[in-house]
Amino acid sequence: MVDPMKQFWVTVAAVFVALLIFVALPVVFLTGAMVSAVTSPSASGPSGPVVIELDLRGGVTDQAPQNPFAMFSGSGLSVMGIVDVLDRAQDDDDVRALFVRLPEAGMSPAAADEIRQAISRFRRAGKPVIAHSQGMMQSGAVVSSYMVGAAADEFWLQGNAALQAAGLQTEEIFFARAFERYGVEPQFEQRYEFKNAVNPFLQSDYTAAHREATLGWMNSVYLSAVANAARDRDMDRTVLQQALEAGPAMGEAARERGLVDRLGQVEEAEQRALTRAGEGAETISFASYAARPDTRRHRGPVIAVIEAEGPIVTGTGGSASPFGDASTIYSDRTAEAIYDAIEDEDVKAIVFRVSSPGGSDVASEQILAAVRAAVAAGKPVVVSMGAYAASGGYWISSEASHIVAQPTTLTGSIGVFGGKFVLSEALARFGVDIRSLSVGGETANLFSPADEFSAADRAAFSGWMDQIYDGFIQRVSRGRELPIERVREIARGRVWTGTEALRLGLVDELGGFHEAVQRAKVLAEIDEDADVQLRRFPAQQGFWEQLGLAFGGGAEAARALITLGALANDPDVQAAVREVQTARARAEGSHVLADEPL
């Protein structure tokens, strides 16, 4: 039951925050960084023919962040947003071309796959794509960034820049010798040898299994990117691979090797895009075009879209900081979204977007139970895997009606680990003594950092790990219709790419969100060419509603903030604020050149 006084003061605090924000609105109007810049007609950019500029240099998440302050950190771009907007733009007669600015470093291979596919669909609509790079440095999966550029009609490189995408690289930091030196004792159980997430705590180098699994997925990702780039550039794969592996190529050398098409500054590449777009075309930012009203998908059968990104934990996320930018999958919230879609009579199928490295087994089971309920209710669930769907991410996907993964999605990791760090000796070296007392059963202090596992502790904990692992195996066996012994062979904690997972029967199809929607239509017996409504669960909230809920004010605070948000968007209020800001600026001796927001 809610404490009325507590609720009152929480509401007062939330409204106070709202008032502070409202007072700060003159700054907002000047910078264009907040409400009016997003919702006013001028924010949609020029009318008539346009070239969309997609700048990937600020990084890309898989899904749009849920917290209200995400606009102040990062690029704000998500793979799901890029796919949605480019699919809309390819059917928009006003959009004549796409101009892509490529990152200097690597990007998530699966994200690159999905963006490449969206670019390919855009090109098939008869619209040119120009990509520009200011150089690429060998780091991480930079070959994936190169693959995105290769998908364009024209790939430009700044003349004095180097292109270095000679392979795929990763590193691991191992702490075993440091822990031994400083008296930290890690005690962990893994199921089994490929479940290497805890290896950095236990080893000083790659084990044979760790090395095998890592090189396995790295080779798969690298060869997939090279093959896609060669196909898009109409080159022999071996020739392109040799050109990439020859080392850094500066300007003209990159063009001579066939790695790029043209050399020039970014302004020249942008002008080329405008020229190809036709007379009168103007450049519009991706964010500005995305803010334009979307009139599609408001007719036809409904397909629910549920998104889940990040580690999987129990709870609702109600206590999470609104200033955090990390995505998290909360089991209560995600399961509730699935049950809401089940109860909605309009929903014919569900597309469940998953991008997760794993997490809590009980939280994963709660979400899987909801997936199972949807399938039992006659609503097919198609999982669309993002950057990864490993461990708990695969657990929540395993009993879906159909699984779609990118060739480079890291999936599987059917295994479990757990344990603790014993810190008594490490602390003792600094004169700090930690002592443990317990009552009850033998294993009451099982996870105490003061004591090592006793024989009884180790046996109990090991048995627990075995039960979780066996439960995981059973769910995969049931969901994928594979014999349990076959699942045991391909599990053991090993991570596979989507290409390998398809061969093993862990996924059904290679592709992205677009392919997942098409499969959902088939399973729901909807004509493949029919228009459908994509309805998100839970419904996306506006900025002010998110802010109210983020500060814990509940419905009343949310309503107060929404009201203030409506006032902030009211033209009369905006005009009054502009008059105040102009008068204040003049009184302070400023030279005001325009009364309109900049």
Side-chain angles (χ1 to χ4, degrees):
M1 184 172 179
V2 178
D3 183 337
M5 286 304 297
K6 179 181 178 182
Q7 181 62 42
F8 170 77
W9 287 113
V10 170
T11 301
V12 168
V15 171
F16 177 70
V17 172
L19 290 172
L20 287 177
I21 293 174
F22 185 67
V23 169
L25 281 175
V27 177
V28 172
F29 285 125
L30 276 171
T31 61
M34 215 169 180
V35 182
S36 62
V38 185
T39 59
S40 64
S42 62
S44 61
S47 58
V50 297
V51 173
I52 297 176
E53 180 179 353
L54 173 60
D55 191 342
L56 299 173
R57 295 174 300 167
V60 179
T61 59
D62 186 72
Q63 297 156 31
Q66 297 301 308
N67 77 74
F69 294 97
M71 68 176 74
F72 300 115
S73 62
S75 69
L77 286 175
S78 69
V79 173
M80 291 288 282
I82 291 171
V83 169
D84 184 62
V85 171
L86 290 188
D87 283 356
R88 185 206 322 175
Q90 72 187 35
D91 298 323
D92 186 340
D93 292 337
D94 286 342
V95 177
R96 304 291 176 82
L98 175 67
F99 178 49
V100 182
R101 302 199 63 181
L102 299 167
E104 295 180 52
M107 62 190 302
S108 160
D113 276 338
E114 194 116 28
I115 294 170
R116 169 186 172 269
Q117 291 157 8
I119 288 174
S120 297
R121 290 192 295 273
F122 187 90
R123 288 182 62 190
R124 286 198 295 271
K127 301 184 178 186
V129 178
I130 308 297
H132 185 272
S133 171
Q134 291 182 283
M136 291 186 182
M137 298 294 102
Q138 185 65 48
S139 63
V142 71
V143 68
S144 296
S145 299
Y146 176 80
M147 179 187 69
V148 172
D153 293 270
E154 296 180 16
F155 192 162
W156 287 60
L157 177 67
Q158 187 168 308
N160 68 331
L163 196 158
Q164 184 182 12
L168 193 65
Q169 168 267 333
T170 188
E171 61 275 318
E172 191 80 70
I173 299 176
F174 294 91
F175 296 93
R177 291 196 303 122
F179 285 167
E180 182 178 359
R181 178 177 180 180
Y182 293 106
V184 176
E185 184 178 356
Q187 295 195 320
F188 286 88
E189 293 274 338
Q190 355 174 205
R191 298 294 183 273
Y192 277 98
E193 71 273 20
F194 292 106
K195 195 68 176 179
N196 48 51
V198 295
N199 279 15
F201 306 142
L202 306 175
Q203 311 292 337
S204 58
D205 197 356
Y206 288 97
T207 63
H210 192 174
R211 184 181 300 276
E212 176 188 337
T214 303
L215 288 176
W217 69 255
M218 288 178 69
N219 269 303
S220 181
V221 166
Y222 176 57
L223 295 178
S224 175
V226 172
N228 286 333
R231 188 179 304 112
D232 291 338
R233 291 193 59 74
D234 196 23
M235 293 178 66
D236 179 80
R237 185 191 63 79
T238 302
V239 172
L240 178 61
Q241 185 171 340
Q242 289 174 345
L244 289 169
E245 294 178 1
M250 183 83 74
E252 185 60 33
R255 194 185 65 78
E256 289 177 353
R257 291 187 202 174
L259 296 175
V260 299
D261 300 301
R262 298 192 177 206
L263 304 179
Q265 295 294 332
V266 62
E267 293 80 8
E268 297 174 272
E270 181 182 356
Q271 185 57 51
R272 173 63 174 168
L274 289 168
T275 299
R276 294 198 60 174
E279 186 176 353
E282 298 182 64
T283 303
I284 182 174
S285 72
F286 183 88
S288 293
Y289 182 79
R292 291 183 172 183
D294 184 1
T295 58
R296 308 168 304 147
R297 295 172 177 166
H298 295 302
R299 58 186 183 276
V302 175
I303 292 178
V305 177
I306 297 169
E307 298 178 346
E309 180 177 13
I312 304 169
V313 299
T314 57
T316 63
S319 60
S321 168
F323 299 96
D325 59 0
S327 297
T328 304
I329 302 172
Y330 294 99
S331 59
D332 283 10
R333 181 190 299 171
T334 306
E336 182 180 7
I338 297 172
Y339 285 119
D340 286 346
I342 295 172
E343 293 171 6
D344 190 324
E345 294 181 357
D346 293 334
V347 171
K348 306 303 179 187
I350 298 170
V351 174
F352 187 21
R353 177 71 173 198
V354 176
S355 188
S356 172
S360 161
D361 60 303
V362 293
S364 299
E365 179 63 14
Q366 181 183 357
I367 296 170
L368 179 62
V371 171
R372 197 181 294 137
V375 175
K379 299 195 176 185
V381 179
V382 179
V383 166
S384 169
M385 292 179 167
Y388 33 54
S391 197
Y394 191 77
W395 187 308
I396 65 178
S397 307
S398 60
E399 296 189 38
S401 311
H402 195 84
I403 300 177
V404 181
Q406 290 291 356
T408 54
T409 297
L410 299 184
T411 187
S413 190
I414 304 166
V416 62
F417 70 86
K420 67 177 181 178
F421 291 97
V422 180
L423 303 175
S424 51
E425 182 181 341
L427 293 174
R429 296 181 183 186
F430 295 93
V432 178
D433 297 309
I434 179 171
R435 301 288 185 260
S436 173
L437 294 174
S438 64
V439 298
E442 275 190 284
T443 58
N445 67 341
L446 183 67
F447 291 112
S448 169
D451 302 307
E452 297 180 1
F453 283 135
S454 66
D457 290 340
R458 179 70 75 173
F461 186 61
S462 181
W464 183 14
M465 293 294 99
D466 287 336
Q467 289 179 47
I468 296 174
Y469 181 68
D470 289 342
F472 200 167
I473 293 288
Q474 290 166 15
R475 284 153 182 78
V476 175
S477 174
R478 180 169 60 239
R480 305 308 304 156
E481 298 182 352
L482 292 170
I484 281 187
E485 289 310 310
R486 175 57 177 157
V487 178
R488 291 189 185 280
E489 289 175 12
I490 61 180
R492 308 190 72 79
R494 180 156 183 170
V495 173
W496 306 95
T497 62
T499 300
E500 297 164 329
L502 178 65
R503 173 178 58 83
L504 296 169
L506 295 178
V507 305
D508 299 295
E509 182 181 352
L510 296 182
F513 179 72
H514 177 83
E515 287 72 24
V517 171
Q518 291 301 111
R519 177 57 57 178
K521 290 163 71 172
V522 171
L523 294 178
E525 299 181 351
I526 300 170
D527 187 275
E528 291 186 55
D529 296 323
D531 291 326
V532 293
Q533 300 179 55
L534 299 182
R535 185 176 298 171
R536 280 174 164 75
F537 288 79
Q540 291 180 312
Q541 299 168 337
F543 174 86
W544 296 97
E545 185 176 5
Q546 288 185 45
L547 188 63
L549 296 174
F551 276 102
E556 291 301 321
R559 276 194 287 272
L561 286 165
I562 293 167
T563 300
L564 287 172
L567 286 172
N569 287 319
D570 184 273
D572 293 334
V573 173
Q574 292 179 1
V577 170
R578 285 196 295 272
E579 288 297 325
V580 170
Q581 80 184 43
T582 302
R584 180 185 300 165
R586 286 186 173 128
E588 293 172 353
S590 299
H591 296 283
V592 180
L593 302 179
D595 288 344
E596 291 300 309
L598 301 178

